[in-house]
Amino acid sequence: QNGDKYTINDIVVTGNTSFNASTIITYSRLKKGQEVYIGGEKIGEAVTKLWKSNLFSSIDIYFTNITEDNKVDVEINLSDLPELNEVRIEGVKKGKKEEIIDENNLKPKVKVTENLVNTTKNYLTNKYKKKGFLNTKVSVLTSEVQNDSVEKQRVNMFVNIDKGNKVKIKSISFNGNEKLKDKKLRKAMKNTKQKSLSPLRLLKRSKYVEEDYKEDLVSLIDKYKENGYRDARVIKDSIIYIDDKTISLVIDVEEGEKYTFGKIDFVGNTVYTDEFLSQILRIEEGDTYNGVELKKRIANDEKPDGLDITNVYQNTGYMFSTINPVEVSADGNVIDLEIRITEGKPAYFNSVSVKGNDITNDHVIYREIRTRPGELYSRANIIRTIRELGQLGFFNAQAIVPDIKNPNPVDGTLDIEYTVEEQGSSQIELQGGYGGGGFIGTLGLSFNNFSLKNIFNGEAYKPVPRGDGQSLALRLQASQFFQTYSFSFSEPWLGGKKPFQLSTSISHSRQFLFDPQTRRADRSRRFNITGITFGLSTRLKEPDDYFLLSQALSFQHYDLQNYNTGLFTFGDGSSNNLSYTIGLTRNNTYNDPIYPTGGSNFAVSAKLSLPYSLFNGVDYGALREERENPNTTQERIAEIDQERFKWLEFYKVKFKADWYAEVAKKLVLRPSIEFGFLGAYNNDRGVIPFERFFLGGDGLGNFALDGREVIQLRGYPNQSLSSQDGGSIYNKFSLELRYPITLGQGAKIYALSFVEGGSSVNSFRDFNPFNLQRSAGLGVRIFMPAFGLLGIDFGHGFDPLPGLSQKNGWETHFIIGQQF
Amino acid sequence: DFQKVMKSEDIALKYKKGEELFNEGKYKKANRLFEQIVPKYRGKPQAEKLMYMHSMCFYKLEQYYLSGYRFEQFVKSYPNSEKAEEAAFLSAKSYYEESPIYSKDKEETVKAIEKVQLFINAYPNSEYAEQANVLVKELDFKLEKKAFEIAKQYNRIYDYKASIKSFNNFLLDFPGSSLKEDALYYRFNSEYNLAVLSVPELKDARIALALADYKTLLKAFPNTKYLEEANELKEALEKERTNNEIKS
C-alpha cells in the first residue's frame, strides 16, 4: 500500500446535490471508523460506485481535518447531473419530433450526460444518412435554465438537424471489367442504384446508404463468383461529389481468370450411388465454376425442403450425415472436387413430445405429428409437421419450434420436442351495417378448438371449454327483410381413430317481401327456410394424400306464405329438399394460403336428390300437358307446381379447378376454369327453381339459403348474367396475374389484373361454352388477420348485359372474404 | 365503511380493517386493503403477519399462481416464523393446484412435483408430510397417465410401431407405475396388430416378439384383468404362425 493509513472520523457530503447525505454515504460504502489510505482501494471504489449511478457530473473526495493520530474527516463533494427541462428540435417535421424524443428518451427529468448528448447526435446523423441524406449535420447544445425556482440544476436541450439535400447517385461506373458488362454489375448491386428515367424502377430510389453500398460491393463480387471468376475483387471504390445533391460512384475491379469445374468424385457414399448423387448435384465437368450454386446444391439454406444432397440424406434417416466439398486440385483454371460424405448411422426417433399446450389436449396434437417414436428420422416430416400443426389454427404458426434433443450417433437415436404457443382461435363478430336496402345486424360467435365433452363441466369454462380441436359456430343475422340463424359444429377426428371429419349445421332463415307502398318489409308475406346438414370428409391415401373425399346429407324445408315472386307460381305452400352430396377435392397449393405461389386446387362434386318420380306414381307428363294448356287457370297451375316441387328432384354437377404458377419472381399466374350443371331426372317434372347459378359481379353469397350459387364474374353487376331466377348451366374461364406488394405478418397486400369470361343459360340448347360475356380489369387485395380479406376490383365488361345492346363498361366491386 | 377505509390515508386503520375482514373470511375485500399497505409495512414488525394474511387471501381466492409465489416469499423472509411450515406447505400445494389436467402441457406439473418434494425434504416430520406425499403421488401419476395415454393413442390411430416404442419408453421411465398392467397389455395388443399386418417375410419375427410380450404380461400379472382378451390374441397369433409356416 502507498500512502499513510488514516481512520475515518466523520463523513460529510457537500456540493450541489439534492440527494440525502446518508443515502450517499451508505451508497459509497465508506463508514465511520474505517481505515483508509490516500489513493487507496476503498476511496477508488467509492468514486467508481457513485460514478456508475449515472447521477453526478463530478465527484471529488477530500480528506480534511487531519489530526495527529491520523484521524480524518472525509468530504464527498458532488454535483448532480443536470436534469433535462425542455427539448427543442429544429429541422424536421412536427411528427418526427415526437419520434426523435421517444427514440432517444429525451424526456423531462432525464439526467443529461455527455453520453446522452453524443448518442443522440450520432443516432440522428446515422438515421438521416441511412435515408440518403448524406450531408446531414446534427448539433446538440445544452444550456442551463436560468432563474429556476427548482433547486435542482436543469438544462434545456437544443437539437438542430440540417438534413441538407437528399443525395442521389448520378452514375455508377466500373473500371477493369471486361467479362461482365456494366449493366450486369449494376444489376447485381441490389440496394445502390443510379438515377434512372425508367418508370419500371420507381420504387427503388437512387439514394446512397453506406451500409447498403458495402453490402452491394460484396454482392458484386458474388456475381463474379457465380460466373466462375473466383479471384475477382474490388481494388478501389471512390465517391465523387458532383454537387451537394449528387454523387458518382466509381468502382475499380480486378476480374481474374475464369475457372471451370473439373472432375467431381463422391467419397464415402454407400447408401446412394455416384450416379444418383450426380443427378442431384447437376454439375458437369467443364461447367463454369460457381461456388454459390455448388453450396446450394449441397445444402440450400434458403429452401429447407428443397432437393439437395443434404436433404436426400436428412430425409431418409441420416441425421448424422455430413457432406463436405473439398477442392483436391486446381490445375490451371480447372478445379477438381471431392464431395466427402460421412453417412453415419440412420437415426430413429425415440421420444416425441410437445411443450406449451396450455389449452389444447395432447391427443389433438400428437395425431397430427408426422415424426413418431420408432420412426426413421426425416427432416421433410419435421417440416411438414410444423406446417400442419400451424394449419390447425390453434397455435402461432411462426412460433412452432422443433427441438432436437439427445442426438446419439452411437445408438442412432434422437428425441424431438415441439414447442407450441397457443393463440386465441375464437372469434366474436358483432357488426351492423347497411345492405340489402336497410340495416343489417350480425352476431357471430365461432369457437375453434372447442371441447364438446366439457360442455357440462363448469370448471372448463375459461371462458369456454377448449382443447379438443372441435369447432362450434353460432351466427345470427337480421335486418327488416330477413333473419338468419345458424349453428354449426365439427369434429376433425370422429371417433378419434382416423381423420374422419364430421360437420353438422342447422340453420333457419326468414325473408319478408318488400312492400312498395310503405317501403318497408311486409311481415305477412314471408318465406321461411329451415335446414340441417351432416357431412363427413376424409383425407385419402391414394392417389396421394392431398385428396379429400367428402359426403354430405342435407335437408331443407321451404315454407311460403303469400310470397308471390317469379320464382314460384304458388304463393302459399311448401317444398322440401333432401339431397346427398359427394365431392372430391385436391388442394396442394403451397406456402401461403392467402398468396399461394404454386400448386393447384381441383374440386368436383355431385349433389343428388332421390328420383321420386320413378316410384311415387304421379303422372307428370299429364300434369305438364295440363300446365301448358292455355286454358288452365292460374290456381290450377299453382296446384300443379306445388305437386312438382313438394320434394325437389334434381341433380347438380360442379367442377372447378385453378392453378398457381410463379412466372417470375413472386409474380403469380392463376388460370382457372369452372363449370356447373343443374338437371332434372324427369323432364316432365322440369328443372327446379332452387339450387341455381347466379353469374356476375363480386361473387359474394348473400343471405339466401335456397341453395343458390353465386358466381363471380367481374365487370358486370351482381347476378346480372343469369336469368332472374338463376341459370341451370354456367361456365367460366379466368386468368389472373398477381403481384405481392407486401407479404408481411401484419398485412398481406397484393395487386392483381384479370381477364375472364363466362356464360349462364337455362338449357343445353342455348349453351355454347365459347359464347362468353367477357371482361378485364385490375384490383387489389389486403389481408389482415383481424379483418380477413378485403379488396376492390375495377372490371370492364366488354359485352352487353342480356337484353341490351351496348357493352357494359366499368364496374367497381368490393370483395370481402376469401373466394374459394 | 369499506370504501372510506379504502380511501383513507391511515395505514394502521387499513391494517386493522383488513385483519377484521380476513378473520371474517372476506378475503377479496381484505386483499384489496392489503395490496395498498404491503409496500408501506415493508421492514416493520407487522409485516410478517400482513404478508401471511396477504398470501392466504390469494390462496383462499384460488389465485394459486400468486399464493404459491407469495407464500414462498414469506418463507424466505421469515424462515423462523411459527407459520413458516404451514406457509411452505401451502406454497407447495398452490403449485400443485396450478398443475393442469394430464393431457395438457406438463411443465407446471413437473414444477409442482419439485416444489412439493422440496417441502418434504425441508420438513420431513411435518404434520403436512403425509398430505404432501399424497400430492406428489397424484402429480407423478399425471405424468405417467400422460405418457400412457399418448402411447395408447398411437395404438388407437393404428400406428402400432409408434405405440410399441412409446410403451417401451413408458415402461423404462415409470417402472413402478400403477398403469403397468395396462401398458403391458396394450404393448402386446400393438405388437399383435403389427405382427398380423406384417408382410410374410417379417411375420415370424414379429409374432415371436408379440408372444414374448404376452409372456411378460402374464408373468407380471398372472391374473390380469386383460386375461381373456390377451389369451384370444395369443391364440390368434399361434394360428397365424401356423398359417405362415404352411405358406412358406
Short mmCIF file of all heavy atoms in Angstrom, two decimals, chain A residues 349-352 354-363 366-367 372-375 466 493 495-498, chain B residues 100-108 146-147 149-150 153-154 156-159 161-166 169 173:
data_model
loop_
_atom_site.label_atom_id
_atom_site.label_comp_id
_atom_site.label_asym_id
_atom_site.label_seq_id
_atom_site.Cartn_x
_atom_site.Cartn_y
_atom_site.Cartn_z
N PHE A 349 -36.39 -41.84 -34.23
CA PHE A 349 -36.94 -41.04 -33.13
C PHE A 349 -37.17 -41.93 -31.92
O PHE A 349 -37.71 -43.03 -32.05
CB PHE A 349 -38.27 -40.41 -33.52
CG PHE A 349 -38.12 -39.32 -34.53
CD1 PHE A 349 -38.53 -39.49 -35.84
CD2 PHE A 349 -37.54 -38.12 -34.17
CE1 PHE A 349 -38.39 -38.48 -36.76
CE2 PHE A 349 -37.39 -37.10 -35.09
CZ PHE A 349 -37.81 -37.28 -36.40
N ASN A 350 -36.74 -41.46 -30.78
CA ASN A 350 -37.01 -42.20 -29.56
C ASN A 350 -38.24 -41.59 -28.87
O ASN A 350 -39.32 -42.13 -28.96
CB ASN A 350 -35.77 -42.16 -28.65
CG ASN A 350 -35.97 -42.95 -27.39
OD1 ASN A 350 -36.67 -43.96 -27.39
ND2 ASN A 350 -35.40 -42.48 -26.31
N SER A 351 -38.05 -40.44 -28.26
CA SER A 351 -39.22 -39.85 -27.64
C SER A 351 -39.66 -38.62 -28.44
O SER A 351 -38.83 -37.87 -28.93
CB SER A 351 -38.88 -39.48 -26.19
OG SER A 351 -39.22 -38.17 -25.91
N VAL A 352 -40.95 -38.48 -28.59
CA VAL A 352 -41.51 -37.33 -29.32
C VAL A 352 -42.43 -36.62 -28.34
O VAL A 352 -43.31 -37.26 -27.76
CB VAL A 352 -42.30 -37.79 -30.55
CG1 VAL A 352 -42.97 -36.61 -31.23
CG2 VAL A 352 -41.40 -38.54 -31.51
N VAL A 354 -44.39 -32.74 -26.85
CA VAL A 354 -44.92 -31.41 -27.17
C VAL A 354 -44.92 -30.59 -25.89
O VAL A 354 -45.23 -31.11 -24.82
CB VAL A 354 -46.36 -31.51 -27.72
CG1 VAL A 354 -46.95 -30.13 -27.94
CG2 VAL A 354 -46.38 -32.30 -29.01
N LYS A 355 -44.56 -29.35 -26.03
CA LYS A 355 -44.47 -28.46 -24.87
C LYS A 355 -45.25 -27.18 -25.17
O LYS A 355 -45.25 -26.72 -26.30
CB LYS A 355 -43.00 -28.12 -24.67
CG LYS A 355 -42.65 -27.59 -23.32
CD LYS A 355 -41.14 -27.47 -23.19
CE LYS A 355 -40.72 -26.02 -23.27
NZ LYS A 355 -39.29 -25.84 -23.14
N GLY A 356 -45.88 -26.63 -24.17
CA GLY A 356 -46.52 -25.32 -24.35
C GLY A 356 -48.01 -25.39 -24.64
O GLY A 356 -48.63 -24.36 -24.82
N ASN A 357 -48.58 -26.61 -24.67
CA ASN A 357 -50.01 -26.72 -24.97
C ASN A 357 -50.82 -26.53 -23.70
O ASN A 357 -51.27 -27.47 -23.08
CB ASN A 357 -50.34 -28.05 -25.65
CG ASN A 357 -49.84 -29.25 -24.89
OD1 ASN A 357 -48.75 -29.23 -24.33
ND2 ASN A 357 -50.64 -30.29 -24.84
N ASP A 358 -51.00 -25.28 -23.32
CA ASP A 358 -51.75 -24.99 -22.10
C ASP A 358 -53.24 -25.19 -22.30
O ASP A 358 -53.98 -25.31 -21.34
CB ASP A 358 -51.51 -23.54 -21.67
CG ASP A 358 -50.04 -23.29 -21.39
OD1 ASP A 358 -49.37 -24.24 -20.94
OD2 ASP A 358 -49.57 -22.17 -21.64
N ILE A 359 -53.70 -25.17 -23.53
CA ILE A 359 -55.12 -25.28 -23.80
C ILE A 359 -55.44 -26.58 -24.53
O ILE A 359 -56.32 -27.33 -24.15
CB ILE A 359 -55.60 -24.08 -24.65
CG1 ILE A 359 -55.44 -22.77 -23.85
CG2 ILE A 359 -57.05 -24.27 -25.07
CD1 ILE A 359 -55.60 -21.52 -24.65
N THR A 360 -54.71 -26.83 -25.60
CA THR A 360 -55.02 -27.96 -26.46
C THR A 360 -54.58 -29.28 -25.84
O THR A 360 -53.46 -29.39 -25.35
CB THR A 360 -54.34 -27.77 -27.82
OG1 THR A 360 -54.60 -26.45 -28.28
CG2 THR A 360 -54.83 -28.76 -28.83
N ASN A 361 -55.46 -30.26 -25.88
CA ASN A 361 -55.13 -31.56 -25.32
C ASN A 361 -54.15 -32.31 -26.21
O ASN A 361 -54.16 -32.18 -27.43
CB ASN A 361 -56.40 -32.40 -25.14
CG ASN A 361 -57.22 -31.91 -23.98
OD1 ASN A 361 -56.69 -31.69 -22.89
ND2 ASN A 361 -58.51 -31.70 -24.21
N ASP A 362 -53.35 -33.15 -25.57
CA ASP A 362 -52.32 -33.94 -26.27
C ASP A 362 -52.86 -34.65 -27.50
O ASP A 362 -52.26 -34.61 -28.56
CB ASP A 362 -51.75 -35.01 -25.33
CG ASP A 362 -50.78 -34.42 -24.32
OD1 ASP A 362 -50.36 -33.27 -24.53
OD2 ASP A 362 -50.46 -35.10 -23.34
N HIS A 363 -54.01 -35.29 -27.33
CA HIS A 363 -54.47 -36.17 -28.41
C HIS A 363 -54.74 -35.40 -29.71
O HIS A 363 -54.59 -35.94 -30.79
CB HIS A 363 -55.69 -36.99 -27.97
CG HIS A 363 -56.96 -36.20 -27.86
ND1 HIS A 363 -57.87 -36.15 -28.88
CD2 HIS A 363 -57.45 -35.43 -26.87
CE1 HIS A 363 -58.89 -35.38 -28.50
NE2 HIS A 363 -58.64 -34.93 -27.29
N TYR A 366 -50.85 -34.84 -31.01
CA TYR A 366 -49.99 -35.99 -31.35
C TYR A 366 -50.47 -36.70 -32.62
O TYR A 366 -49.67 -37.24 -33.35
CB TYR A 366 -49.92 -36.96 -30.17
CG TYR A 366 -48.95 -36.50 -29.10
CD1 TYR A 366 -49.34 -35.56 -28.16
CD2 TYR A 366 -47.65 -36.98 -29.05
CE1 TYR A 366 -48.47 -35.10 -27.20
CE2 TYR A 366 -46.75 -36.52 -28.08
CZ TYR A 366 -47.17 -35.59 -27.16
OH TYR A 366 -46.30 -35.14 -26.21
N ARG A 367 -51.78 -36.67 -32.86
CA ARG A 367 -52.27 -37.38 -34.05
C ARG A 367 -51.87 -36.66 -35.33
O ARG A 367 -51.89 -37.25 -36.41
CB ARG A 367 -53.80 -37.53 -33.98
CG ARG A 367 -54.55 -36.22 -34.00
CD ARG A 367 -56.00 -36.41 -33.57
NE ARG A 367 -56.74 -35.15 -33.67
CZ ARG A 367 -57.93 -34.95 -33.15
NH1 ARG A 367 -58.53 -35.91 -32.48
NH2 ARG A 367 -58.54 -33.80 -33.29
N ARG A 372 -42.95 -39.94 -35.56
CA ARG A 372 -43.47 -40.71 -34.44
C ARG A 372 -42.36 -41.56 -33.84
O ARG A 372 -41.38 -41.87 -34.51
CB ARG A 372 -44.60 -41.63 -34.94
CG ARG A 372 -45.73 -40.86 -35.61
CD ARG A 372 -47.02 -41.02 -34.87
NE ARG A 372 -48.07 -40.15 -35.37
CZ ARG A 372 -49.08 -40.57 -36.17
NH1 ARG A 372 -49.15 -41.83 -36.55
NH2 ARG A 372 -50.00 -39.71 -36.54
N PRO A 373 -42.50 -41.94 -32.56
CA PRO A 373 -41.46 -42.74 -31.91
C PRO A 373 -41.19 -44.02 -32.71
O PRO A 373 -42.12 -44.66 -33.20
CB PRO A 373 -42.06 -43.08 -30.55
CG PRO A 373 -43.10 -42.05 -30.31
CD PRO A 373 -43.62 -41.65 -31.65
N GLY A 374 -39.93 -44.35 -32.85
CA GLY A 374 -39.56 -45.57 -33.55
C GLY A 374 -39.41 -45.39 -35.05
O GLY A 374 -39.00 -46.30 -35.75
N GLU A 375 -39.78 -44.20 -35.54
CA GLU A 375 -39.66 -43.99 -36.98
C GLU A 375 -38.32 -43.41 -37.36
O GLU A 375 -37.64 -42.79 -36.55
CB GLU A 375 -40.75 -43.03 -37.44
CG GLU A 375 -41.92 -43.75 -38.04
CD GLU A 375 -43.08 -42.83 -38.30
OE1 GLU A 375 -42.83 -41.65 -38.59
OE2 GLU A 375 -44.21 -43.31 -38.21
N ARG A 466 -62.33 -25.55 -24.00
CA ARG A 466 -61.49 -25.61 -25.19
C ARG A 466 -60.52 -26.78 -25.09
O ARG A 466 -60.30 -27.33 -24.02
CB ARG A 466 -60.67 -24.32 -25.29
CG ARG A 466 -61.49 -23.15 -25.75
CD ARG A 466 -60.61 -21.97 -26.03
NE ARG A 466 -60.03 -21.45 -24.79
CZ ARG A 466 -59.10 -20.51 -24.77
NH1 ARG A 466 -58.63 -20.02 -25.90
NH2 ARG A 466 -58.62 -20.07 -23.64
N TRP A 493 -61.69 -35.46 -36.01
CA TRP A 493 -61.35 -36.88 -35.95
C TRP A 493 -62.51 -37.61 -35.27
O TRP A 493 -62.46 -37.91 -34.08
CB TRP A 493 -60.08 -37.13 -35.14
CG TRP A 493 -58.81 -36.86 -35.87
CD1 TRP A 493 -58.43 -35.67 -36.42
CD2 TRP A 493 -57.74 -37.78 -36.13
NE1 TRP A 493 -57.19 -35.80 -36.99
CE2 TRP A 493 -56.74 -37.08 -36.83
CE3 TRP A 493 -57.53 -39.13 -35.83
CZ2 TRP A 493 -55.55 -37.69 -37.23
CZ3 TRP A 493 -56.35 -39.72 -36.22
CH2 TRP A 493 -55.37 -39.01 -36.93
N GLY A 495 -64.53 -40.20 -33.65
CA GLY A 495 -64.17 -41.48 -33.05
C GLY A 495 -62.72 -41.54 -32.61
O GLY A 495 -62.31 -42.46 -31.93
N GLY A 496 -61.92 -40.54 -33.02
CA GLY A 496 -60.53 -40.48 -32.55
C GLY A 496 -59.60 -41.48 -33.20
O GLY A 496 -58.46 -41.62 -32.79
N LYS A 497 -60.08 -42.24 -34.20
CA LYS A 497 -59.22 -43.26 -34.78
C LYS A 497 -58.61 -42.84 -36.10
O LYS A 497 -57.48 -43.17 -36.43
CB LYS A 497 -60.00 -44.55 -34.99
CG LYS A 497 -60.39 -45.20 -33.70
CD LYS A 497 -61.02 -46.55 -33.96
CE LYS A 497 -61.20 -47.29 -32.65
NZ LYS A 497 -61.65 -48.65 -32.85
N LYS A 498 -59.40 -42.14 -36.90
CA LYS A 498 -58.95 -41.74 -38.22
C LYS A 498 -59.38 -40.31 -38.48
O LYS A 498 -60.36 -39.85 -37.91
CB LYS A 498 -59.58 -42.65 -39.29
CG LYS A 498 -58.92 -44.00 -39.38
CD LYS A 498 -59.47 -44.79 -40.53
CE LYS A 498 -58.60 -46.00 -40.79
NZ LYS A 498 -59.13 -46.88 -41.80
N PRO B 100 -52.19 -28.51 -14.52
CA PRO B 100 -53.43 -28.78 -15.25
C PRO B 100 -53.68 -30.28 -15.43
O PRO B 100 -52.89 -31.10 -14.96
CB PRO B 100 -53.17 -28.13 -16.61
CG PRO B 100 -51.70 -28.24 -16.80
CD PRO B 100 -51.09 -28.21 -15.42
N ILE B 101 -54.75 -30.60 -16.09
CA ILE B 101 -55.08 -31.99 -16.41
C ILE B 101 -53.91 -32.63 -17.16
O ILE B 101 -53.15 -31.94 -17.84
CB ILE B 101 -56.39 -32.02 -17.24
CG1 ILE B 101 -56.83 -33.45 -17.50
CG2 ILE B 101 -56.22 -31.29 -18.56
CD1 ILE B 101 -58.19 -33.54 -18.17
N TYR B 102 -53.76 -33.95 -17.02
CA TYR B 102 -52.60 -34.64 -17.58
C TYR B 102 -52.40 -34.40 -19.07
O TYR B 102 -51.30 -34.43 -19.57
CB TYR B 102 -52.71 -36.15 -17.30
CG TYR B 102 -53.76 -36.84 -18.13
CD1 TYR B 102 -53.46 -37.34 -19.39
CD2 TYR B 102 -55.08 -36.96 -17.68
CE1 TYR B 102 -54.43 -37.94 -20.17
CE2 TYR B 102 -56.05 -37.55 -18.45
CZ TYR B 102 -55.72 -38.04 -19.69
OH TYR B 102 -56.67 -38.62 -20.48
N SER B 103 -53.51 -34.14 -19.79
CA SER B 103 -53.40 -34.09 -21.25
C SER B 103 -52.93 -32.74 -21.77
O SER B 103 -52.91 -32.52 -22.96
CB SER B 103 -54.75 -34.44 -21.87
OG SER B 103 -55.73 -33.55 -21.40
N LYS B 104 -52.56 -31.83 -20.87
CA LYS B 104 -52.01 -30.56 -21.34
C LYS B 104 -50.54 -30.45 -20.93
O LYS B 104 -49.99 -31.38 -20.34
CB LYS B 104 -52.85 -29.40 -20.79
CG LYS B 104 -54.25 -29.50 -21.37
CD LYS B 104 -55.16 -28.38 -20.99
CE LYS B 104 -56.51 -28.66 -21.67
NZ LYS B 104 -57.53 -27.69 -21.36
N ASP B 105 -49.94 -29.33 -21.26
CA ASP B 105 -48.52 -29.15 -21.01
C ASP B 105 -48.12 -29.58 -19.60
O ASP B 105 -48.77 -29.23 -18.63
CB ASP B 105 -48.18 -27.67 -21.22
CG ASP B 105 -46.68 -27.44 -21.24
OD1 ASP B 105 -45.94 -28.45 -21.27
OD2 ASP B 105 -46.26 -26.28 -21.24
N LYS B 106 -47.03 -30.36 -19.52
CA LYS B 106 -46.69 -30.93 -18.22
C LYS B 106 -45.75 -30.04 -17.41
O LYS B 106 -45.40 -30.39 -16.28
CB LYS B 106 -46.06 -32.30 -18.41
CG LYS B 106 -44.71 -32.28 -19.07
CD LYS B 106 -44.14 -33.70 -19.16
CE LYS B 106 -42.77 -33.66 -19.81
NZ LYS B 106 -42.25 -34.99 -20.06
N GLU B 107 -45.36 -28.91 -17.96
CA GLU B 107 -44.35 -28.08 -17.30
C GLU B 107 -44.75 -27.73 -15.85
O GLU B 107 -43.94 -27.86 -14.93
CB GLU B 107 -44.15 -26.80 -18.10
CG GLU B 107 -42.80 -26.19 -17.89
CD GLU B 107 -42.60 -24.97 -18.78
OE1 GLU B 107 -43.35 -24.81 -19.76
OE2 GLU B 107 -41.72 -24.18 -18.48
N GLU B 108 -46.00 -27.30 -15.67
CA GLU B 108 -46.47 -26.92 -14.34
C GLU B 108 -46.47 -28.12 -13.38
O GLU B 108 -46.22 -27.97 -12.20
CB GLU B 108 -47.89 -26.34 -14.42
CG GLU B 108 -48.01 -25.06 -15.23
CD GLU B 108 -47.29 -23.89 -14.58
OE1 GLU B 108 -47.18 -23.88 -13.34
OE2 GLU B 108 -46.84 -23.00 -15.30
N LYS B 146 -50.08 -39.28 -18.66
CA LYS B 146 -49.83 -38.55 -19.90
C LYS B 146 -49.09 -39.45 -20.89
O LYS B 146 -49.54 -39.65 -22.01
CB LYS B 146 -49.00 -37.31 -19.59
CG LYS B 146 -48.74 -36.41 -20.78
CD LYS B 146 -47.83 -35.26 -20.35
CE LYS B 146 -47.68 -34.23 -21.43
NZ LYS B 146 -48.88 -33.42 -21.65
N ALA B 147 -47.97 -40.01 -20.42
CA ALA B 147 -47.17 -40.85 -21.30
C ALA B 147 -47.98 -42.06 -21.76
O ALA B 147 -47.94 -42.46 -22.93
CB ALA B 147 -45.90 -41.29 -20.58
N GLU B 149 -51.31 -42.38 -22.01
CA GLU B 149 -52.38 -42.05 -22.96
C GLU B 149 -51.84 -41.74 -24.35
O GLU B 149 -52.48 -42.05 -25.35
CB GLU B 149 -53.21 -40.87 -22.43
CG GLU B 149 -54.11 -41.21 -21.26
CD GLU B 149 -55.19 -42.23 -21.62
OE1 GLU B 149 -55.59 -42.31 -22.79
OE2 GLU B 149 -55.64 -42.96 -20.70
N ILE B 150 -50.66 -41.11 -24.41
CA ILE B 150 -50.07 -40.82 -25.72
C ILE B 150 -49.74 -42.14 -26.44
O ILE B 150 -50.04 -42.33 -27.61
CB ILE B 150 -48.82 -39.93 -25.57
CG1 ILE B 150 -49.24 -38.52 -25.15
CG2 ILE B 150 -48.04 -39.87 -26.87
CD1 ILE B 150 -48.11 -37.65 -24.68
N GLN B 153 -52.85 -43.74 -27.55
CA GLN B 153 -53.45 -43.12 -28.72
C GLN B 153 -52.81 -43.63 -30.01
O GLN B 153 -53.49 -43.82 -31.01
CB GLN B 153 -53.34 -41.59 -28.66
CG GLN B 153 -54.15 -40.95 -29.80
CD GLN B 153 -53.90 -39.46 -29.95
OE1 GLN B 153 -52.91 -38.93 -29.47
NE2 GLN B 153 -54.79 -38.77 -30.62
N TYR B 154 -51.51 -43.85 -29.98
CA TYR B 154 -50.85 -44.40 -31.18
C TYR B 154 -51.48 -45.73 -31.55
O TYR B 154 -51.67 -46.05 -32.72
CB TYR B 154 -49.35 -44.56 -30.96
CG TYR B 154 -48.59 -43.25 -30.95
CD1 TYR B 154 -47.70 -42.95 -29.93
CD2 TYR B 154 -48.75 -42.33 -31.98
CE1 TYR B 154 -46.99 -41.76 -29.92
CE2 TYR B 154 -48.05 -41.14 -31.98
CZ TYR B 154 -47.17 -40.85 -30.96
OH TYR B 154 -46.49 -39.67 -30.97
N ARG B 156 -54.56 -46.52 -30.90
CA ARG B 156 -55.91 -46.25 -31.39
C ARG B 156 -55.90 -45.74 -32.83
O ARG B 156 -56.78 -46.06 -33.61
CB ARG B 156 -56.58 -45.23 -30.48
CG ARG B 156 -58.05 -45.06 -30.78
CD ARG B 156 -58.81 -44.39 -29.65
NE ARG B 156 -58.32 -43.08 -29.35
CZ ARG B 156 -57.94 -42.68 -28.14
NH1 ARG B 156 -57.98 -43.51 -27.12
NH2 ARG B 156 -57.51 -41.46 -27.93
N ILE B 157 -54.89 -44.95 -33.19
CA ILE B 157 -54.86 -44.44 -34.56
C ILE B 157 -54.06 -45.35 -35.49
O ILE B 157 -53.57 -44.93 -36.53
CB ILE B 157 -54.36 -42.98 -34.64
CG1 ILE B 157 -52.92 -42.86 -34.17
CG2 ILE B 157 -55.26 -42.05 -33.84
CD1 ILE B 157 -52.37 -41.45 -34.31
N TYR B 158 -53.93 -46.59 -35.09
CA TYR B 158 -53.35 -47.65 -35.93
C TYR B 158 -51.85 -47.46 -36.18
O TYR B 158 -51.33 -48.03 -37.12
CB TYR B 158 -54.07 -47.77 -37.28
CG TYR B 158 -55.58 -47.88 -37.14
CD1 TYR B 158 -56.40 -46.80 -37.36
CD2 TYR B 158 -56.15 -49.10 -36.78
CE1 TYR B 158 -57.77 -46.90 -37.23
CE2 TYR B 158 -57.52 -49.21 -36.64
CZ TYR B 158 -58.33 -48.11 -36.86
OH TYR B 158 -59.69 -48.22 -36.72
N ASP B 159 -51.17 -46.63 -35.41
CA ASP B 159 -49.72 -46.56 -35.60
C ASP B 159 -49.08 -47.46 -34.54
O ASP B 159 -48.66 -47.00 -33.48
CB ASP B 159 -49.25 -45.11 -35.46
CG ASP B 159 -47.81 -44.96 -35.94
OD1 ASP B 159 -47.08 -45.99 -35.96
OD2 ASP B 159 -47.40 -43.85 -36.29
N LYS B 161 -46.35 -49.28 -34.53
CA LYS B 161 -44.91 -49.15 -34.29
C LYS B 161 -44.65 -48.07 -33.24
O LYS B 161 -43.89 -48.28 -32.29
CB LYS B 161 -44.21 -48.74 -35.58
CG LYS B 161 -43.52 -49.87 -36.29
CD LYS B 161 -42.67 -49.25 -37.38
CE LYS B 161 -42.12 -50.31 -38.30
NZ LYS B 161 -41.56 -49.71 -39.50
N ALA B 162 -45.28 -46.90 -33.45
CA ALA B 162 -45.07 -45.79 -32.52
C ALA B 162 -45.60 -46.17 -31.15
O ALA B 162 -45.02 -45.80 -30.13
CB ALA B 162 -45.77 -44.54 -33.04
N SER B 163 -46.69 -46.92 -31.13
CA SER B 163 -47.28 -47.33 -29.86
C SER B 163 -46.32 -48.24 -29.09
O SER B 163 -46.09 -48.05 -27.90
CB SER B 163 -48.59 -48.04 -30.14
OG SER B 163 -49.17 -48.46 -28.94
N ILE B 164 -45.74 -49.21 -29.80
CA ILE B 164 -44.82 -50.13 -29.13
C ILE B 164 -43.62 -49.38 -28.56
O ILE B 164 -43.25 -49.52 -27.40
CB ILE B 164 -44.32 -51.22 -30.12
CG1 ILE B 164 -45.50 -52.10 -30.54
CG2 ILE B 164 -43.22 -52.05 -29.51
CD1 ILE B 164 -45.24 -52.93 -31.78
N LYS B 165 -43.06 -48.51 -29.41
CA LYS B 165 -41.89 -47.75 -28.96
C LYS B 165 -42.25 -46.89 -27.75
O LYS B 165 -41.49 -46.81 -26.78
CB LYS B 165 -41.40 -46.86 -30.12
CG LYS B 165 -40.22 -46.00 -29.81
CD LYS B 165 -38.94 -46.81 -29.82
CE LYS B 165 -37.80 -46.01 -29.19
NZ LYS B 165 -36.69 -46.85 -28.81
N SER B 166 -43.43 -46.27 -27.80
CA SER B 166 -43.82 -45.40 -26.69
C SER B 166 -44.07 -46.19 -25.42
O SER B 166 -43.73 -45.74 -24.33
CB SER B 166 -45.07 -44.62 -27.06
OG SER B 166 -44.84 -43.86 -28.21
N ASN B 169 -40.78 -47.07 -23.93
CA ASN B 169 -40.24 -45.93 -23.20
C ASN B 169 -40.98 -45.72 -21.88
O ASN B 169 -40.37 -45.42 -20.86
CB ASN B 169 -40.35 -44.65 -24.05
CG ASN B 169 -39.33 -44.63 -25.16
OD1 ASN B 169 -38.36 -45.40 -25.13
ND2 ASN B 169 -39.52 -43.77 -26.14
N ASP B 173 -39.39 -45.57 -18.22
CA ASP B 173 -39.46 -44.32 -17.46
C ASP B 173 -40.21 -44.45 -16.15
O ASP B 173 -39.92 -43.77 -15.18
CB ASP B 173 -40.12 -43.21 -18.30
CG ASP B 173 -39.28 -42.81 -19.50
OD1 ASP B 173 -38.07 -43.14 -19.48
OD2 ASP B 173 -39.81 -42.19 -20.44
#
